[in-house]
Amino acid sequence: MSRPEHFAPPEIFYNQDESVKYTTNSRIMEIQANMTNRALELLALPENKPCYILDIGCGSGLSGEVISEAGHEWVGVDISADMLNVARDREVDGDLFLWDMGHGMSFRPGTFDGAISISALQWLCNQDKTENIPQVRLKKFFQSLYNCLARGARAVFQFYPETPKQIELITTAAMRCGFAGGLVVDFPHSTKAKKFFLCLLAGSPQEYVQPRAVGEDYTGDEDTTHVAYSAGRDKAAGSAPSRLGKKKQKDSIKSKNWVIKKKERRRRQGLEVANDSKYTARKRRPKF
Amino acid sequence: MRILTHNMLMCNVKKCNMQGYPLKIVPSQVETVENEFNPEFIAHMIPKLDWNGVISAAADLNITNLPPTIPAGAASDETFLRSLHGLLLDITIVDGQLVCKNCGRSYKVSGGIPNMLLNEDEV
């Protein structure tokens, strides 16, 4: 697949058309929701405690909605004004900022209980202006992020590195700024389902335990013949692997349950919501 | 932008070096939207708040009935938490400016979204 980074800087690439397209495409919505869920899992927040999360590259708020559903408050920053306008029109719960992550995050020290970023970090490796030097921007970004995270808080970045060199560039920049952590690669043996998550801990390196990747052909005690790619997580809900254990299964996006839950949530917020009927979330036939 | 987030926000200009706090709010449109009250979250945020920042933000919005310090036992006082929720999470700055008291840089807020983009010489 082609890379959007090669076409234009993010603030120009994600123009009005692209932002609307991005947000109404149910495939992208589902992928984004899945990756956000996984990122939240890797964030290892204390259970049943509402937290204050920073979403870097929040875009139209697809990831933010998942954070809200998990019961947390969030602040989103993005460089594309059009994306943020879409987010505002969708009335997401978080606070939005037009912000360039390469300029650093100027929040007070210890503000956030965690930070996530979905498909944004690779943009920092692109030099689209002469004065934008990736190394400098990465350093500025990670330094300021380290400052605004609470001690012991984590930051999880899902990103699409182009080359192994890019991964090295990003991880060394993060480690130099005092983060402990490493790269978690889900489905490492699949070209399509492979997902890179950079997990960072703002605190002492001894506390960091590398999370286990999903879909890895681990050479544990049992099940050594296990096939690497289990085709679970990124397929529609219902075939999720047993790794999820007792956790509740998520409704797939735009399914009836999902729509009803979303309507309920918005009702609780006191927004105007259409009544439920037998037509709710029913698909329109092509002849309509 | 809500007051809670304003309480965390500093001026991003390099020469300010974390001195640009709190940003002065020059509001031209402020909205109040009721949100779900979550006492646990507010109690969790109290230790993170900078109370002088809260007072400064409230003064910019002509709210002056705040106590000079956080009252003792605030985390379990429901009426206090409720009023704090009303101030921090219900009030939204829709249009206006955020002005740094240190360097004088002003950030425009339009449609509820502050523009924090810097010029190259400010990074």
Side-chain angles (χ1 to χ4, degrees):
Chain A
M1 213 181 96
S2 58
R3 285 183 163 265
E5 299 96 277
H6 292 170
F7 291 101
E11 65 272 31
I12 294 166
F13 180 80
Y14 289 113
N15 56 15
Q16 205 176 349
D17 288 352
E18 197 64 34
S19 306
V20 172
K21 232 194 291 176
Y22 196 90
T23 317
T24 47
N25 182 329
S26 58
R27 181 178 159 269
I28 292 184
M29 283 166 84
E30 179 138 12
I31 293 178
Q32 292 278 323
N34 279 343
M35 292 193 300
T36 314
N37 274 320
R38 174 68 173 140
L40 278 179
E41 200 175 283
L42 291 170
L43 215 49
L45 296 167
E47 266 185 46
N48 300 326
K49 195 173 167 199
C51 292
Y52 198 45
I53 311 278
L54 177 64
D55 184 353
I56 303 146
C58 63
S60 49
L62 291 175
S63 46
E65 281 185 336
V66 178
I67 305 177
S68 299
E69 263 170 58
H72 305 299
E73 291 286 339
W74 57 279
V75 174
V77 302
D78 203 285
I79 197 174
S80 160
D82 289 307
M83 274 288 204
L84 291 171
N85 287 340
V86 174
R88 189 188 52 209
D89 295 344
R90 298 170 74 226
E91 296 180 26
V92 293
D93 295 329
D95 278 319
L96 305 169
F97 285 95
L98 184 60
W99 205 317
D100 183 350
M101 66 202 277
H103 290 168
M105 307 277 105
S106 64
F107 291 97
R108 277 199 297 117
T111 295
F112 295 104
D113 304 306
I116 68 161
S117 161
I118 306 295
S119 320
L121 199 54
Q122 72 272 6
W123 286 98
L124 266 189
C125 298
N126 252 44
Q127 184 163 16
D128 37 43
K129 292 182 203 137
T130 20
E131 61 270 20
N132 283 359
I133 301 154
Q135 284 86 343
V136 175
R137 283 163 63 78
L138 279 165
K139 184 178 165 213
K140 179 103 195 169
F141 169 68
F142 281 120
Q143 248 173 7
S144 58
L145 182 69
Y146 190 93
N147 282 337
C148 71
L149 286 175
R151 283 318 101 204
R154 281 164 196 263
V156 176
F157 300 85
Q158 183 278 325
F159 67 117
Y160 294 109
E162 195 175 357
T163 56
K165 218 172 162 192
Q166 260 188 11
I167 301 181
E168 205 185 297
L169 185 73
I170 290 172
T171 42
T172 37
M175 299 304 145
R176 273 199 195 130
C177 297
F179 280 108
L183 201 65
V184 176
V185 185
D186 281 355
F187 304 113
H189 307 297
S190 156
T191 34
K192 265 192 172 170
K194 189 188 281 183
K195 292 282 176 308
F196 292 88
F197 290 89
L198 179 64
C199 301
L200 301 174
L201 176 81
S204 83
Q206 284 86 34
E207 290 166 37
Y208 181 79
V209 185
Q210 176 80 355
R212 180 180 269 186
V214 181
E216 201 176 31
D217 191 7
Y218 58 93
T219 47
D221 13 71
E222 83 291 293
D223 203 5
T224 37
T225 53
H226 180 76
V227 181
Y229 175 47
S230 65
R233 175 168 289 273
D234 52 332
K235 293 278 153 63
S239 60
S242 58
R243 199 195 53 77
L244 284 173
K246 278 183 281 173
K247 261 196 197 153
K248 249 199 320 193
Q249 288 219 333
K250 289 267 165 14
D251 297 311
S252 67
I253 279 190
K254 287 192 172 166
S255 72
K256 186 162 185 179
N257 267 342
W258 182 83
V259 171
I260 287 176
K261 266 193 199 156
K262 178 156 180 165
K263 284 172 90 175
E264 240 169 51
R265 200 163 60 81
R266 305 210 10 127
R267 237 173 246 136
R268 274 204 306 270
Q269 291 172 341
L271 296 167
E272 212 170 289
V273 178
N275 291 331
D276 290 333
S277 75
K278 62 178 179 180
Y279 301 110
T280 302
R282 211 186 253 189
K283 214 173 174 179
R284 265 181 195 155
R285 293 296 139 208
K287 257 192 163 177
F288 176 73
Chain B
M1 185 189 61
R2 295 169 296 185
I3 304 299
L4 175 67
T5 313
H6 169 267
N7 196 259
M8 305 299 168
L9 191 64
M10 297 188 297
C11 178
N12 203 12
V13 174
K14 190 182 180 193
K15 66 177 178 201
C16 260
N17 197 19
M18 304 172 85
Q19 301 301 310
Y21 180 84
L23 297 174
K24 186 178 166 52
I25 304 170
V26 186
S28 51
Q29 195 193 340
V30 176
E31 250 175 39
T32 309
V33 188
E34 288 223 358
N35 283 296
E36 210 180 327
F37 173 56
N38 186 344
E40 234 183 303
F41 178 69
I42 300 285
H44 171 61
M45 290 309 286
I46 284 180
K48 294 187 183 204
L49 288 177
D50 180 288
W51 195 252
N52 290 330
V54 177
I55 289 177
S56 142
D60 293 339
L61 300 171
N62 296 324
I63 304 167
T64 48
N65 56 352
L66 290 174
T69 51
I70 304 178
S76 49
D77 180 355
E78 176 149 353
T79 41
F80 180 73
L81 288 183
R82 230 171 238 289
S83 61
L84 205 53
H85 170 88
L87 175 66
L88 297 178
L89 292 173
D90 288 349
I91 299 177
T92 310
I93 300 150
V94 180
D95 280 305
Q97 308 255 331
L98 300 172
V99 183
C100 172
K101 290 172 183 168
N102 192 33
C103 68
R105 167 78 148 94
S106 99
Y107 300 92
K108 199 168 181 290
V109 186
S110 67
I113 304 173
N115 181 345
M116 301 298 288
L117 295 180
L118 300 176
N119 297 328
E120 271 324 305
D121 56 329
E122 295 167 325
V123 181

mmCIF file of all heavy atoms in Angstrom, chain A residues 106 108, chain B residues 6 8-13 15-24 99-104 107:
data_model
loop_
_atom_site.group_PDB
_atom_site.id
_atom_site.type_symbol
_atom_site.label_atom_id
_atom_site.label_comp_id
_atom_site.label_asym_id
_atom_site.label_seq_id
_atom_site.Cartn_x
_atom_site.Cartn_y
_atom_site.Cartn_z
ATOM 1 N N SER A 106 3.384 20.963 25.748
ATOM 2 C CA SER A 106 3.631 21.808 26.920
ATOM 3 C C SER A 106 2.483 21.701 27.916
ATOM 4 O O SER A 106 1.700 22.627 28.067
ATOM 5 C CB SER A 106 3.854 23.247 26.503
ATOM 6 O OG SER A 106 2.692 23.761 25.925
ATOM 7 N N ARG A 108 1.624 20.676 32.075
ATOM 8 C CA ARG A 108 2.354 20.708 33.333
ATOM 9 C C ARG A 108 2.904 19.322 33.661
ATOM 10 O O ARG A 108 2.314 18.312 33.293
ATOM 11 C CB ARG A 108 1.430 21.189 34.456
ATOM 12 C CG ARG A 108 1.336 22.712 34.503
ATOM 13 C CD ARG A 108 0.820 23.187 35.829
ATOM 14 N NE ARG A 108 -0.524 22.736 36.111
ATOM 15 C CZ ARG A 108 -0.854 21.941 37.112
ATOM 16 N NH1 ARG A 108 0.083 21.502 37.939
ATOM 17 N NH2 ARG A 108 -2.093 21.592 37.308
ATOM 18 N N HIS B 6 -7.298 23.534 30.620
ATOM 19 C CA HIS B 6 -6.594 24.824 30.725
ATOM 20 C C HIS B 6 -5.651 24.815 31.920
ATOM 21 O O HIS B 6 -4.555 25.366 31.878
ATOM 22 C CB HIS B 6 -7.606 25.961 30.856
ATOM 23 C CG HIS B 6 -6.974 27.268 31.223
ATOM 24 N ND1 HIS B 6 -6.861 27.689 32.528
ATOM 25 C CD2 HIS B 6 -6.375 28.212 30.468
ATOM 26 C CE1 HIS B 6 -6.222 28.841 32.549
ATOM 27 N NE2 HIS B 6 -5.924 29.187 31.315
ATOM 28 N N MET B 8 -3.895 22.508 32.954
ATOM 29 C CA MET B 8 -2.687 21.723 32.682
ATOM 30 C C MET B 8 -1.807 22.382 31.624
ATOM 31 O O MET B 8 -0.654 22.000 31.443
ATOM 32 C CB MET B 8 -3.076 20.331 32.184
ATOM 33 C CG MET B 8 -4.009 19.588 33.099
ATOM 34 S SD MET B 8 -3.251 19.338 34.698
ATOM 35 C CE MET B 8 -4.634 18.783 35.676
ATOM 36 N N LEU B 9 -2.372 23.340 30.904
ATOM 37 C CA LEU B 9 -1.718 23.867 29.709
ATOM 38 C C LEU B 9 -0.712 24.968 30.030
ATOM 39 O O LEU B 9 -0.978 25.855 30.830
ATOM 40 C CB LEU B 9 -2.807 24.411 28.781
ATOM 41 C CG LEU B 9 -2.402 24.771 27.372
ATOM 42 C CD1 LEU B 9 -1.952 23.545 26.614
ATOM 43 C CD2 LEU B 9 -3.569 25.423 26.660
ATOM 44 N N MET B 10 0.452 24.884 29.375
ATOM 45 C CA MET B 10 1.459 25.936 29.532
ATOM 46 C C MET B 10 1.759 26.534 28.162
ATOM 47 O O MET B 10 1.445 25.954 27.140
ATOM 48 C CB MET B 10 2.759 25.355 30.092
ATOM 49 C CG MET B 10 2.623 24.758 31.470
ATOM 50 S SD MET B 10 4.228 24.301 32.143
ATOM 51 C CE MET B 10 4.757 23.059 30.995
ATOM 52 N N CYS B 11 2.419 27.687 28.182
ATOM 53 C CA CYS B 11 2.858 28.303 26.927
ATOM 54 C C CYS B 11 3.935 27.402 26.318
ATOM 55 O O CYS B 11 4.806 26.912 27.012
ATOM 56 C CB CYS B 11 3.401 29.694 27.197
ATOM 57 S SG CYS B 11 4.018 30.507 25.731
ATOM 58 N N ASN B 12 3.870 27.209 24.990
ATOM 59 C CA ASN B 12 4.779 26.259 24.343
ATOM 60 C C ASN B 12 5.999 26.929 23.724
ATOM 61 O O ASN B 12 6.863 26.260 23.171
ATOM 62 C CB ASN B 12 4.001 25.466 23.274
ATOM 63 C CG ASN B 12 4.657 24.157 22.957
ATOM 64 O OD1 ASN B 12 5.560 23.720 23.664
ATOM 65 N ND2 ASN B 12 4.231 23.515 21.892
ATOM 66 N N VAL B 13 6.083 28.240 23.802
ATOM 67 C CA VAL B 13 7.214 28.956 23.198
ATOM 68 C C VAL B 13 8.491 28.612 23.960
ATOM 69 O O VAL B 13 8.500 28.553 25.188
ATOM 70 C CB VAL B 13 6.949 30.472 23.230
ATOM 71 C CG1 VAL B 13 8.163 31.240 22.758
ATOM 72 C CG2 VAL B 13 5.750 30.809 22.366
ATOM 73 N N LYS B 15 11.398 30.033 24.643
ATOM 74 C CA LYS B 15 12.044 30.909 25.616
ATOM 75 C C LYS B 15 11.247 31.004 26.919
ATOM 76 O O LYS B 15 11.779 31.415 27.945
ATOM 77 C CB LYS B 15 12.293 32.292 25.015
ATOM 78 C CG LYS B 15 11.026 33.052 24.704
ATOM 79 C CD LYS B 15 11.333 34.446 24.188
ATOM 80 C CE LYS B 15 10.017 35.140 23.851
ATOM 81 N NZ LYS B 15 10.110 36.220 22.957
ATOM 82 N N CYS B 16 9.961 30.622 26.883
ATOM 83 C CA CYS B 16 9.151 30.659 28.109
ATOM 84 C C CYS B 16 9.620 29.585 29.103
ATOM 85 O O CYS B 16 9.523 29.776 30.307
ATOM 86 C CB CYS B 16 7.674 30.444 27.794
ATOM 87 S SG CYS B 16 6.783 31.986 27.769
ATOM 88 N N ASN B 17 10.087 28.449 28.564
ATOM 89 C CA ASN B 17 10.699 27.419 29.388
ATOM 90 C C ASN B 17 9.895 27.081 30.638
ATOM 91 O O ASN B 17 10.378 27.187 31.759
ATOM 92 C CB ASN B 17 12.130 27.868 29.759
ATOM 93 C CG ASN B 17 12.950 26.708 30.238
ATOM 94 O OD1 ASN B 17 12.591 25.548 29.977
ATOM 95 N ND2 ASN B 17 14.030 26.981 30.943
ATOM 96 N N MET B 18 8.657 26.743 30.458
ATOM 97 C CA MET B 18 7.722 26.320 31.511
ATOM 98 C C MET B 18 7.345 27.452 32.473
ATOM 99 O O MET B 18 6.748 27.210 33.504
ATOM 100 C CB MET B 18 8.279 25.131 32.297
ATOM 101 C CG MET B 18 8.609 23.963 31.378
ATOM 102 S SD MET B 18 9.455 22.630 32.174
ATOM 103 C CE MET B 18 8.107 21.707 32.839
ATOM 104 N N GLN B 19 7.673 28.702 32.135
ATOM 105 C CA GLN B 19 7.277 29.810 33.009
ATOM 106 C C GLN B 19 5.915 30.365 32.605
ATOM 107 O O GLN B 19 5.287 31.071 33.387
ATOM 108 C CB GLN B 19 8.315 30.946 32.940
ATOM 109 C CG GLN B 19 9.718 30.543 33.349
ATOM 110 C CD GLN B 19 9.766 30.006 34.756
ATOM 111 O OE1 GLN B 19 9.246 30.622 35.673
ATOM 112 N NE2 GLN B 19 10.350 28.835 34.917
ATOM 113 N N GLY B 20 5.495 30.070 31.390
ATOM 114 C CA GLY B 20 4.251 30.639 30.872
ATOM 115 C C GLY B 20 3.028 29.924 31.411
ATOM 116 O O GLY B 20 2.352 29.212 30.694
ATOM 117 N N TYR B 21 2.744 30.113 32.695
ATOM 118 C CA TYR B 21 1.595 29.461 33.298
ATOM 119 C C TYR B 21 1.046 30.322 34.418
ATOM 120 O O TYR B 21 1.831 30.904 35.174
ATOM 121 C CB TYR B 21 1.998 28.086 33.862
ATOM 122 C CG TYR B 21 0.835 27.372 34.493
ATOM 123 C CD1 TYR B 21 -0.038 26.626 33.719
ATOM 124 C CD2 TYR B 21 0.579 27.503 35.857
ATOM 125 C CE1 TYR B 21 -1.130 26.014 34.296
ATOM 126 C CE2 TYR B 21 -0.515 26.882 36.428
ATOM 127 C CZ TYR B 21 -1.368 26.139 35.644
ATOM 128 O OH TYR B 21 -2.461 25.541 36.196
ATOM 129 N N PRO B 22 -0.237 30.438 34.629
ATOM 130 C CA PRO B 22 -1.308 29.969 33.736
ATOM 131 C C PRO B 22 -1.548 30.941 32.594
ATOM 132 O O PRO B 22 -1.236 32.113 32.708
ATOM 133 C CB PRO B 22 -2.520 29.938 34.670
ATOM 134 C CG PRO B 22 -2.236 30.965 35.704
ATOM 135 C CD PRO B 22 -0.750 31.048 35.849
ATOM 136 N N LEU B 23 -2.103 30.425 31.509
ATOM 137 C CA LEU B 23 -2.420 31.284 30.381
ATOM 138 C C LEU B 23 -3.673 32.090 30.721
ATOM 139 O O LEU B 23 -4.630 31.562 31.279
ATOM 140 C CB LEU B 23 -2.676 30.436 29.127
ATOM 141 C CG LEU B 23 -1.492 29.612 28.625
ATOM 142 C CD1 LEU B 23 -1.930 28.722 27.482
ATOM 143 C CD2 LEU B 23 -0.364 30.514 28.177
ATOM 144 N N LYS B 24 -3.633 33.370 30.374
ATOM 145 C CA LYS B 24 -4.794 34.222 30.637
ATOM 146 C C LYS B 24 -5.861 33.925 29.585
ATOM 147 O O LYS B 24 -5.560 33.825 28.401
ATOM 148 C CB LYS B 24 -4.375 35.685 30.570
ATOM 149 C CG LYS B 24 -5.474 36.647 30.957
ATOM 150 C CD LYS B 24 -4.969 38.068 30.916
ATOM 151 C CE LYS B 24 -6.099 39.083 30.968
ATOM 152 N NZ LYS B 24 -7.026 38.879 32.081
ATOM 153 N N VAL B 99 -3.652 33.991 26.392
ATOM 154 C CA VAL B 99 -2.482 34.867 26.329
ATOM 155 C C VAL B 99 -1.488 34.464 27.404
ATOM 156 O O VAL B 99 -1.838 34.298 28.570
ATOM 157 C CB VAL B 99 -2.891 36.343 26.513
ATOM 158 C CG1 VAL B 99 -1.672 37.244 26.376
ATOM 159 C CG2 VAL B 99 -3.949 36.736 25.508
ATOM 160 N N CYS B 100 -0.216 34.294 26.983
ATOM 161 C CA CYS B 100 0.825 33.943 27.934
ATOM 162 C C CYS B 100 1.228 35.201 28.695
ATOM 163 O O CYS B 100 1.517 36.236 28.094
ATOM 164 C CB CYS B 100 2.028 33.367 27.187
ATOM 165 S SG CYS B 100 3.433 33.122 28.268
ATOM 166 N N LYS B 101 1.241 35.098 30.040
ATOM 167 C CA LYS B 101 1.565 36.273 30.848
ATOM 168 C C LYS B 101 3.067 36.530 30.843
ATOM 169 O O LYS B 101 3.526 37.603 31.195
ATOM 170 C CB LYS B 101 1.091 36.061 32.288
ATOM 171 C CG LYS B 101 -0.417 36.071 32.410
ATOM 172 C CD LYS B 101 -0.857 35.669 33.806
ATOM 173 C CE LYS B 101 -2.371 35.608 33.881
ATOM 174 N NZ LYS B 101 -2.836 34.955 35.113
ATOM 175 N N ASN B 102 3.841 35.535 30.447
ATOM 176 C CA ASN B 102 5.289 35.658 30.468
ATOM 177 C C ASN B 102 5.828 36.310 29.200
ATOM 178 O O ASN B 102 6.563 37.286 29.249
ATOM 179 C CB ASN B 102 5.905 34.270 30.680
ATOM 180 C CG ASN B 102 7.368 34.341 30.999
ATOM 181 O OD1 ASN B 102 7.821 35.281 31.640
ATOM 182 N ND2 ASN B 102 8.114 33.362 30.536
ATOM 183 N N CYS B 103 5.453 35.754 28.030
ATOM 184 C CA CYS B 103 6.031 36.266 26.786
ATOM 185 C C CYS B 103 5.017 37.039 25.948
ATOM 186 O O CYS B 103 5.378 37.626 24.931
ATOM 187 C CB CYS B 103 6.619 35.126 25.957
ATOM 188 S SG CYS B 103 5.402 33.998 25.291
ATOM 189 N N GLY B 104 3.764 37.024 26.348
ATOM 190 C CA GLY B 104 2.767 37.811 25.628
ATOM 191 C C GLY B 104 2.219 37.150 24.376
ATOM 192 O O GLY B 104 1.381 37.707 23.683
ATOM 193 N N TYR B 107 -2.635 32.658 21.819
ATOM 194 C CA TYR B 107 -3.095 31.499 21.063
ATOM 195 C C TYR B 107 -4.586 31.683 20.806
ATOM 196 O O TYR B 107 -5.345 31.920 21.744
ATOM 197 C CB TYR B 107 -2.876 30.212 21.863
ATOM 198 C CG TYR B 107 -1.431 29.945 22.217
ATOM 199 C CD1 TYR B 107 -0.894 30.403 23.423
ATOM 200 C CD2 TYR B 107 -0.608 29.241 21.360
ATOM 201 C CE1 TYR B 107 0.421 30.158 23.756
ATOM 202 C CE2 TYR B 107 0.717 28.989 21.684
ATOM 203 C CZ TYR B 107 1.222 29.450 22.882
ATOM 204 O OH TYR B 107 2.533 29.200 23.208
#
